[in-house]
Amino acid sequence: QGNIPQSDKFNPKLLWQSLNTYMNLAALAPKAADGVPAIIVMPETVLPVFQDQVPAEVWQQWIAVARLRNASLVMGVPLHAGAGDENRYTNSAIVVTPDSSVRDIMAGTLAMHYDKHHLVPFGEFVPTGFRWFINELNIPLGDFNRGPERQRLFDLDGQRLAPDICYENAFGEEIIRSVRDSPLYGPGATILVNISNLGWFGNTWALRQSLEMSRMRALETARPMLMATNTGITAAISPLGAIRDQLPPMSPGVLDVEVQGYDGYTPYVRWGDTPVLAWTAILLLLGLVVLRRRATATRDAPEDSTQDR
């Protein structure tokens, strides 16, 4: 948790200072001798520019950090891959290992990367029919490409990590896709990982709301959830949705935790929202039947035929 102010994060003059903050935090020795990290998770857009706009020497330094700690680095970066008509621009999470190739990083062809699927309207893409509005305001806003619904998981240290980015942790029906087994990608996730940059919201309830959403996703899936955020709240959540440990918001720091991955399906992972939607539909139909019967009974009731005397 680097606690980089939003005003500094996208300031070109402070880019390398911000990047060095995260590099130094990732390179820190473990707090306990028996707590050597296998995986180091950093927030969304640790690097606020596309990976191929960064000198190769910087990526070599990140690989050196991975070798120093003998760990895999999970970090959020805007990723550019392809060329010409095949250009792709994504808000992504990538894995840098001690054996990573600078060439693969620069080309955006890393074996382990996740491209955000549920993009933010107007923040990461322009909704259909609103391009004229953006043009009128003269806002230089482009579109990120959307990642597939189900993607290859991060197979690290005997665990299968399913990353999600920013407010994707609000959508349980989407999170469970990564927990289910896939014919194409194999077994589902054993650990969930959310990386976010909530620096846009200051020290507001948005930070706590994001934490509560992650707790719900952990409870629904019976999977531990790791949250790595820029300004907070960075936390480790148990498969029962309990907060195991967290860093205070609006302060830099490193959270050392030991995490056990879990397998198996909860009812929600197996069936998703289907039972709730089915019961809702049944209750609505029953309500319509009752209302129709009442309306029919009222219409067919005999009128008061009292005669005046």
Side-chain angles (χ1 to χ4, degrees):
Q1 180 173 296
N3 193 38
I4 308 298
Q6 202 63 17
S7 57
D8 295 352
K9 189 174 181 67
F10 295 97
N11 185 336
K13 296 180 180 179
L14 300 175
L15 172 63
W16 305 117
Q17 178 180 317
S18 301
L19 201 57
N20 284 334
T21 295
Y22 276 107
M23 198 174 290
N24 292 334
L25 287 172
L28 286 175
K31 297 176 182 177
D34 59 350
V36 178
I39 302 168
I40 299 172
V41 185
M42 287 166 283
E44 175 188 16
T45 56
V46 164
L47 188 69
V49 297
F50 288 103
Q51 93 290 349
D52 54 0
Q53 296 176 331
V54 176
E57 293 78 12
V58 173
W59 287 115
Q60 193 61 61
Q61 292 177 33
W62 277 111
I63 295 172
V65 171
R67 289 173 180 166
L68 174 66
R69 297 273 65 93
N70 192 28
S72 298
L73 310 179
V74 178
M75 67 173 71
V77 300
L79 202 63
H80 170 223
D85 293 338
E86 301 298 323
N87 270 315
R88 278 184 58 82
Y89 300 94
T90 54
N91 184 1
S92 302
I94 66 172
V95 177
V96 177
T97 71
D99 300 321
S100 288
S101 159
V102 172
R103 182 175 181 179
D104 287 341
I105 296 174
M106 297 288 287
T109 56
L110 285 157
M112 284 186 281
H113 71 275
Y114 167 78
D115 301 330
K116 187 177 181 181
H117 170 72
H118 202 125
L119 302 177
V120 179
F122 297 105
E124 293 172 321
F125 79 101
V126 180
T128 303
F130 283 90
R131 177 64 64 181
W132 66 270
F133 179 70
I134 299 300
N135 293 339
E136 286 294 326
L137 294 179
N138 197 28
I139 298 176
L141 178 63
D143 291 324
F144 275 120
N145 294 103
R146 191 185 305 272
E149 292 182 352
R150 176 66 157 89
Q151 302 179 45
R152 188 177 302 279
L153 304 177
F154 294 171
D155 194 349
L156 299 172
D157 201 48
Q159 300 295 326
R160 299 181 299 276
L161 276 63
D164 60 88
I165 299 177
C166 194
Y167 84 141
E168 286 188 310
N169 65 344
F171 304 99
E173 185 72 22
E174 297 180 7
I175 295 294
I176 60 177
R177 293 172 187 152
S178 63
V179 178
R180 295 169 177 159
D181 296 343
S182 164
L184 182 60
Y185 299 119
T190 57
I191 298 172
L192 304 178
V193 177
N194 173 264
I195 63 172
S196 297
N197 172 33
L198 302 178
W200 304 94
F201 304 105
N203 191 8
T204 65
W205 275 104
L207 280 61
R208 285 82 182 165
Q209 288 169 345
S210 180
L211 177 64
E212 294 306 309
M213 289 188 289
S214 286
R215 293 180 66 187
M216 191 63 191
R217 303 293 83 82
L219 185 60
E220 289 170 343
T221 59
R223 297 294 191 273
M225 169 79 87
L226 298 177
M227 293 186 67
T229 65
N230 175 31
T231 56
I233 296 175
T234 295
I237 302 168
S238 80
L240 298 178
I243 300 173
R244 291 184 52 208
D245 203 355
Q246 68 181 73
L247 293 177
M250 313 308 292
S251 61
V254 175
L255 185 66
D256 285 355
V257 290
E258 182 175 337
V259 182
Q260 172 66 52
Y262 281 73
D263 280 312
Y265 286 4
T266 63
Y268 185 69
V269 170
R270 191 174 300 278
W271 297 306
D273 293 334
T274 302
V276 174
L277 295 175
W279 277 109
T280 301
I282 291 171
L283 291 174
L284 287 173
L285 288 173
L286 289 174
L288 289 173
V289 169
V290 170
L291 288 174
R292 178 168 294 182
R293 286 183 176 179
R294 287 181 178 176
T296 301
T298 301
R299 185 178 64 248
D300 295 342
E303 295 181 359
D304 188 357
S305 58
T306 302
Q307 297 180 355
D308 294 333
R309 295 186 179 180

